[in-house]
Amino acid sequence: MVPVPFIILYLKKLATFLSQRSAWATRIMDLLFERARRKAAPVEEFQWLGLMLFVAVPFPGTGAWTGAIIASVLGMPFWSGLSANFVGVVLAGLLVNLLMNLGLKYAIGTGVLLFIVSTVMWGALRGVKKSLNTK
């Protein structure tokens, strides 16, 4: 969590500064931002909740650093991005701890159950959002 506030606050400023200095840096920053935008699709839809859930999933590339980059790319307010990252990191830690204490057999079953629950939850959130937007 230590670099997260700095990433949220200064990533765009650093990218602008480096882009003015070097074409190579421009290409690197464009690749970084494009990758973050691709990962940010579900996050963009729900902002804080989406970012928190994205960071809470304990898979490679979904941690606090990527969450901070996404918060910066989406232009989320500082405290919103920081708090979503923090809650997500805490939930990911609790989830990994739970899975390690369950043992392999139960961890696999729990992982499958959590995948199903998260898929249903995203669908329900999209349905609620769609119904609120049509009113």
Side-chain angles (χ1 to χ4, degrees):
M1 282 299 298
V2 171
V4 168
F6 300 106
I7 293 171
I8 294 172
L9 286 174
Y10 300 116
L11 181 64
K12 283 188 176 179
K13 293 175 185 173
L14 176 67
T16 303
F17 174 78
L18 291 175
S19 295
Q20 293 171 348
R21 304 279 186 248
S22 164
W24 180 78
T26 302
R27 285 193 302 270
I28 297 289
M29 289 297 160
D30 286 345
L31 287 172
L32 177 71
F33 286 146
E34 182 56 38
R35 182 171 182 246
R37 281 187 195 95
R38 278 195 316 262
K39 287 188 172 208
V43 174
E44 194 169 14
E45 193 173 353
F46 298 107
Q47 292 290 313
W48 190 93
L49 180 64
L51 182 62
M52 184 271 300
L53 291 173
F54 177 84
V55 174
V57 175
F59 291 131
T62 63
W65 288 37
T66 306
I69 292 169
I70 289 172
S72 178
V73 167
L74 294 179
M76 289 179 71
F78 173 75
W79 289 109
S80 179
L82 184 67
S83 63
N85 268 288
F86 179 76
V87 172
V89 166
V90 169
L91 288 176
L94 291 172
L95 182 60
V96 169
N97 187 15
L98 173 72
L99 293 176
M100 290 296 105
N101 287 326
L102 286 176
L104 183 60
K105 180 172 63 171
Y106 294 111
I108 291 171
T110 304
V112 169
L113 178 67
L114 287 173
F115 175 77
I116 292 168
V117 167
S118 67
T119 303
V120 170
M121 184 180 65
W122 278 110
L125 285 172
R126 283 193 176 104
V128 167
K129 185 176 181 187
K130 188 181 283 187
S131 69
L132 290 175
N133 287 340
T134 59
K135 290 182 179 180

